[in-house]
DNA sequence: TAGATTTTGCAACTATGTTGCCTTTTCATA
DNA sequence: TATGAAAAGGCAACATAGTTGCAAAATCTA
């Protein structure tokens, strides 16, 4: 990455944090960096492995929690009991960070993608059930693994 | 429950196990019983609490694992990192235990329901992605909590 | 009912997540 | 640009969740 690009990235990260009323700290910058420099979602373990040398496990937990609360990232449920986190699009705001795209988990490479252009379908529920939020996770083979 | 009904339940449980080539043991009977006598799904913790006095934690883990492999129960992904298990309908068979109903999690009572009559919708994916399985979890307020 | 096979319980271990408290860093403002 | 209140981080200790190997017990076959 060029020096210019790195500079841009850092500026972007700082303004993202400030917009959410968060102070700009080293661990937050580092973790946001991880999300920005990759397409898929990250599991807690991934982040700990990539940032863990420098930061305490607890800090990673707390940072992710804060980011979720502020609507910077969102969680993706999976069947294997390992929450994944992914960046929210800019429209997301605190407390309202479920937007309506679906998620795709590749059964080959195990990457998780937000398919931002695929909206969750309307689901017709039986009488008496009232939907508040619909979560769709598709498992299959991704673009790169075919 | 009448003696007759209990008898029926036990017979049903035994044949369910035998059909899956599983020996009929006390812990398997107990755990299946828990599933049969209730509508919603059960988390590992629920089961451990309800059966845990009598059985070892490890046994509960192994039993659930076995049941999933044999297609007796299936897992339900949730956003809060706590896998729920629910009975499969009879058509489910080993290795093929994802059937196509959706799941509903009540935000009030926290119960999870299999809505067996609501099939998962077709999702149109971007070019290159190939779906193998679609998981839909709807969060909202259930029949009983309104 | 005996013996091979399967399942269980126990102990020990790893991984994952949480809490309280004190130190360090950040940031507003003087 | 120095300073002090507030926020965030690190550490230790703890709690929960999940796994493995092995010996004992229960189940099933014939």
């Amino acid at each position: 990455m060029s020096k210019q690009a790195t500079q841009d990235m850092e500026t972007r990260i700082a303004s993202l944090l400030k917009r959410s009323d968060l102070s700009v700290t080293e661990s937050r910058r580092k973790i946001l960096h991880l999300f920005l420099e990759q397409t898929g979602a990250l599991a807690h373990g991934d982040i700990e492995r990539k940032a863990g040398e420098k930061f305490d496990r607890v800090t990673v937990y707390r940072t992710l929690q804060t980011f979720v609360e502020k609507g910077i990232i969102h969680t993706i449920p999976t069947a294997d009991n390992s929450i994944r986190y992914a960046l929210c699009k800019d429209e997301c705001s605190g407390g309202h960070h479920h937007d309506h795209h679906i998620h795709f988990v590749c059964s080959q490479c195990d990457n998780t993608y937000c398919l931002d252009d695929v909206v969750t379908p309307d689901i017709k529920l039986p009488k008496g059930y009232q939907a508040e939020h619909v979560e769709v996770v598709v498992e299959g083979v991704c673009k790169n693994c075919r």
Side-chain angles (χ1 to χ4, degrees), chain A:
Chain A
M1 211 183 305
S2 73
K3 194 170 171 189
Q4 181 60 52
T6 307
Q7 180 58 46
D8 286 355
M9 176 83 99
E10 287 310 313
T11 312
R12 193 174 156 202
I13 285 172
S15 72
L16 225 161
L17 287 171
K18 280 185 186 137
R19 204 186 317 152
S20 304
D21 288 314
L22 294 175
S23 40
V24 180
T25 68
E26 214 187 327
S27 58
R28 288 180 180 160
R29 276 195 286 122
K30 173 66 180 171
I31 290 176
L32 258 187
H33 207 106
L34 291 176
F35 279 108
L36 284 166
E37 74 189 359
Q38 84 140 47
T39 13
L42 292 167
H44 177 95
D46 297 332
I47 297 162
E48 206 178 305
R49 245 165 279 125
K50 291 184 188 180
E53 301 276 305
K54 289 206 67 172
F55 306 106
D56 195 82
R57 266 161 27 83
V58 180
T59 302
V60 176
Y61 279 107
R62 289 198 270 229
T63 304
L64 291 173
Q65 211 170 285
T66 307
F67 283 0
V68 170
E69 276 160 19
K70 293 293 186 175
I72 296 174
I73 59 178
H74 61 279
T75 60
I76 304 167
T78 54
D80 69 340
N81 228 357
S82 69
I83 295 185
R84 311 283 182 109
Y85 299 88
L87 271 186
C88 288
K89 305 278 279 204
D90 287 346
E91 306 86 46
C92 267
S93 58
H96 184 256
H97 32 269
H98 297 298
D99 49 3
H100 302 299
H101 64 270
I102 72 156
H103 295 107
F104 188 94
V105 180
C106 180
S107 51
Q108 311 268 304
C109 65
D110 205 44
N111 271 345
T112 303
Y113 305 92
C114 293
L115 301 185
D116 292 302
D117 299 327
V118 184
V119 293
T120 55
D122 266 342
I123 306 278
K124 203 163 157 56
L125 297 172
K127 241 196 170 76
Y129 292 89
Q130 193 175 346
E132 276 162 6
H133 173 65
V134 178
E135 194 70 57
V136 177
V137 180
V138 179
E139 194 206 298
V141 184
C142 78
K143 249 186 339 207
N144 304 323
C145 289
R146 297 224 300 168

